Amino acid sequence: MAETKREVERKYEATGETRLPDLTRVPGVSAVVDRGVVELDAVYYDTPDLRLAADALTLRRRTGGEDEGWHLKFPVASGIRDEIRAPLADTLPGELAGLLRSRTRDAEVVPVVRLRSARDVRHLVDAKGGLLAELSVDTVRAERLLGGAPGRAPGGAFGGAEAAWTEIEVELADAEAGTDAGTALLDAVEKRFKKAGIRPSASASKLARALAETETETAPHAPVTTPAPGPDLAPGTAGHAVLAYVREQVDAIVALDPAVRRDLPDAVHQLRVACRRLRSALRSYRKVLDRDVTEPVGAELKWLAGELGAARDQEVLTERLRGRIDALPRALRLGPVRGRLRSWAAVRARGGRRRTLAALDSARYLALLDTLDELLADPPLRKAAARDARTVLACAVLKDHARLAARVDRALALDPGQDRDLALHAARKAAKRARYAAEAAAPALGKPARRLAKRVKSVQSLLGEHQDGVVAREALRELATQAHAAGESAFTWGLLHGREDAEAAAGERDLPAAWARAAAPEIRAALTR
């Protein structure tokens, strides 16, 4: 079973003559305890075109030390990584392979670098002997196993190049990682290092340095990028702007995949949003990208968002109903309402997580990722792609805004009831599309697009709350029916249904004012100036 550790560390350059300063002068450090030298032997793995290295991910199999095994590291921020560990095995554990799938696809991961290090370890401890940080001086020997430069060292025409260096690492203890005190400690150590002439390392990791110093002949695979600007893709053109936004969403999908697999907070929601933003952009900017090519892609993005959404939607609904129950006075909670909600939610949520992971492990999903790569590598540009971005994007945003206006007007013209609920839901979808179109256009159109996106988001939020109420009322009717059939009181469920109904009516009364702000003529006029 893999485990995750948040790694907060800083790296520094060192030589054989580097002398460490007295770190007991760092506030909070009472002693520096020598823990001896550990021999480490790590083989780093990547695809032959180094896709993991291009995204600053590292995958290694290491022997020696207390944490020998497989280690996969994801960057979180500068100097901060999540290290996911799995027990030592001859082959890559399946759990780690899954976390890499959005990047490796069907490519094999192979050994690319071997690092052998003599690690001289010291512990920085407080007055009670508690560990604050681990300082290590690593004497490193790196050997290129794949794609190295021939001739610099024995090994033949394929790999064999070597490099050596010494570096210093200061890593916070688990209890200090992520705390203000931990950051202050690292800052104080760095200040002492600076006075001693010890400078931060120019490389983010040992692997990055090894790859650089063994002079790879195989250029690392970079994340898919907008094609090199030509006559139709020069900065300022519609094609350049739209493809930059598309690339941003594709990169988000790839990056969020492992977060969903790790079940990190909000990861499923963020991945769904990236899918929706991308699908919306492909639909809004049909004057730039050929719809005959992009519509099948949009259909696959809709499928993926749907597969991801089942468990999340149920979770949100359950939390909403639980909050409604908790807010009621005890006297109004008749019968086993909390237990009824738990059993109802458990039945509906069963298999949701499995469904999400099955989608991410499917051949259909991998085919979608490959299709997105192809879309960016060879975009189906139309004539409008070569035109000025401000003109083309403003026209698309205004078109989506007009579509939203028509749906809002239609919904408000209907009497309260199911038909209006359906029309408001359709307006919500149009609001989401108009907002995403404005956000995509913001780099080109600036403040007017950002202002429009903000006001449309307010309308979308109001409509979203209304739709959540519609779904909640349907669930409450189902719960009331189940309670009645079981001989329980249905009073509480009916009460909550009435409150949801009242809130929906209040939202509908607020909608005209919110829409008036989003539909203000000056907001739309500013887009075309």
Side-chain angles (χ1 to χ4, degrees):
M1 180 68 67
E3 60 174 318
T4 301
K5 178 181 183 298
R6 176 60 56 89
E7 180 182 82
V8 182
E9 67 177 13
R10 297 184 187 179
K11 297 178 181 289
Y12 300 88
E13 304 284 353
T15 66
E17 283 118 32
T18 298
R19 292 183 178 275
L20 295 174
D22 180 7
L23 296 180
T24 59
R25 299 180 64 182
V26 171
V29 178
S30 293
V32 179
V33 181
D34 191 342
R35 304 295 294 178
V37 177
V38 179
E39 297 293 334
L40 306 174
D41 191 344
V43 175
Y44 286 77
Y45 288 73
D46 206 332
T47 59
D49 51 1
L50 303 181
R51 300 177 196 179
L52 305 184
D55 281 354
L57 274 65
T58 59
L59 172 67
R60 72 187 178 201
R61 180 185 184 275
R62 190 169 77 182
T63 57
E66 297 179 354
D67 62 343
E68 68 177 9
W70 286 90
H71 303 157
L72 172 59
K73 298 187 181 186
F74 287 94
V76 176
S78 178
I80 304 176
R81 294 187 290 182
D82 277 347
E83 181 179 275
I84 302 170
R85 299 173 176 176
L88 192 65
D90 292 337
T91 58
L92 176 62
E95 187 172 354
L96 300 191
L99 296 176
L100 298 172
R101 199 159 184 252
S102 65
R103 291 174 170 90
T104 60
R105 315 287 169 83
D106 291 324
E108 182 184 10
V109 291
V110 295
V112 294
V113 167
R114 183 182 185 187
L115 296 182
R116 284 167 286 185
S117 305
R119 170 163 289 182
D120 190 355
V121 180
R122 297 164 176 81
H123 284 179
L124 309 186
V125 299
D126 60 20
K128 296 182 179 181
L131 179 63
L132 298 174
E134 181 175 284
L135 182 151
S136 62
V137 180
D138 293 346
T139 302
V140 184
R141 291 171 294 154
E143 179 187 3
R144 191 60 169 268
L145 304 177
L146 176 70
R152 289 183 56 190
F158 193 66
E162 295 183 354
W165 67 88
T166 302
E167 70 178 31
I168 301 169
E169 288 185 4
V170 183
E171 181 179 346
L172 289 178
D174 292 347
E176 301 296 321
T179 67
D180 292 340
T183 301
L185 175 67
L186 290 178
D187 289 343
V189 169
E190 186 161 307
K191 185 176 181 180
R192 297 292 302 165
F193 279 177
K194 185 176 181 180
K195 288 182 178 179
I198 301 173
R199 298 290 178 261
S201 174
S203 297
S205 67
K206 289 183 176 66
L207 175 62
R209 182 164 184 170
L211 291 173
E213 295 196 9
T214 53
E215 294 182 2
T216 178
E217 289 182 340
T218 304
H221 166 93
V224 178
T225 58
T226 302
D232 295 336
L233 288 176
T237 62
H240 190 279
V242 171
L243 286 175
Y245 184 79
V246 169
R247 176 196 169 185
E248 181 182 341
Q249 306 315 315
V250 172
D251 287 348
I253 291 171
V254 170
L256 286 164
D257 174 300
V260 171
R261 294 174 187 272
R262 293 168 61 194
D263 204 18
L264 295 185
D266 207 37
V268 169
H269 172 67
Q270 292 300 325
L271 182 51
R272 289 177 77 192
V273 168
C275 291
R276 288 168 172 170
R277 282 178 170 154
L278 179 51
R279 180 169 176 252
S280 178
L282 297 179
R283 298 174 73 190
S284 295
Y285 296 108
R286 289 171 174 173
K287 294 288 186 181
V288 177
L289 298 173
D290 188 347
R291 65 186 298 178
D292 289 340
V293 176
T294 61
E295 281 192 352
V297 179
E300 291 303 280
L301 290 167
K302 182 179 181 180
W303 160 78
L304 178 59
E307 294 299 296
L308 295 170
R312 173 62 179 169
D313 289 345
Q314 179 59 40
E315 180 184 346
V316 170
L317 174 59
T318 301
E319 286 300 318
R320 181 186 183 96
L321 298 181
R322 185 181 294 120
R324 296 285 196 256
I325 291 171
D326 291 344
L328 287 175
R330 184 182 298 273
L332 299 180
R333 297 198 298 263
L334 304 186
V337 289
R338 287 198 176 97
R340 169 66 56 190
L341 177 62
R342 279 196 301 271
S343 59
W344 173 84
V347 170
R348 291 170 65 98
R350 192 173 297 143
R353 172 75 175 161
R354 291 194 298 272
R355 179 177 172 182
T356 294
L357 295 178
L360 296 183
D361 286 334
S362 68
R364 184 175 181 178
Y365 171 63
L366 286 189
L368 171 59
L369 295 181
D370 288 341
T371 299
L372 294 175
D373 285 357
E374 294 164 5
L375 179 70
L376 284 165
D378 186 20
L381 299 172
R382 301 186 65 194
K383 289 182 179 180
R387 293 172 55 197
D388 177 67
R390 291 184 58 85
T391 301
V392 176
L393 271 58
C395 181
V397 171
L398 290 172
K399 183 177 180 179
D400 279 347
H401 189 272
R403 181 170 171 269
L404 169 60
R407 292 198 178 184
V408 171
D409 290 344
R410 178 181 180 276
L412 292 177
L414 295 171
D415 292 329
Q418 185 176 16
D419 288 345
R420 176 183 264 199
D421 289 344
L422 292 172
L424 288 171
H425 185 42
R428 177 197 179 203
K429 293 179 181 179
K432 195 176 296 186
R433 177 169 164 178
R435 171 195 163 195
Y436 291 157
E439 289 175 347
L445 301 180
K447 187 176 180 179
R450 289 191 293 271
R451 185 184 302 153
L452 180 63
K454 183 178 181 180
R455 295 196 181 185
V456 171
K457 183 180 179 181
S458 296
V459 174
Q460 177 194 329
S461 297
L462 196 60
L463 293 169
E465 179 64 22
H466 183 276
Q467 177 61 20
D468 288 347
V470 170
V471 174
R473 293 200 301 274
E474 293 175 355
L476 289 165
R477 282 194 294 270
E478 182 180 339
L479 284 160
T481 300
Q482 291 180 1
H484 179 74
E488 302 165 4
S489 172
F491 170 82
T492 300
W493 306 116
L495 176 63
L496 293 177
H497 187 284
R499 292 191 173 188
E500 288 283 0
D501 204 30
E503 288 189 16
E508 291 178 28
R509 289 193 297 270
D510 292 340
L511 179 58
W515 172 240
R517 289 191 294 273
E522 65 270 16
I523 297 292
R524 290 173 292 153
L527 292 174
T528 57
R529 289 175 190 163

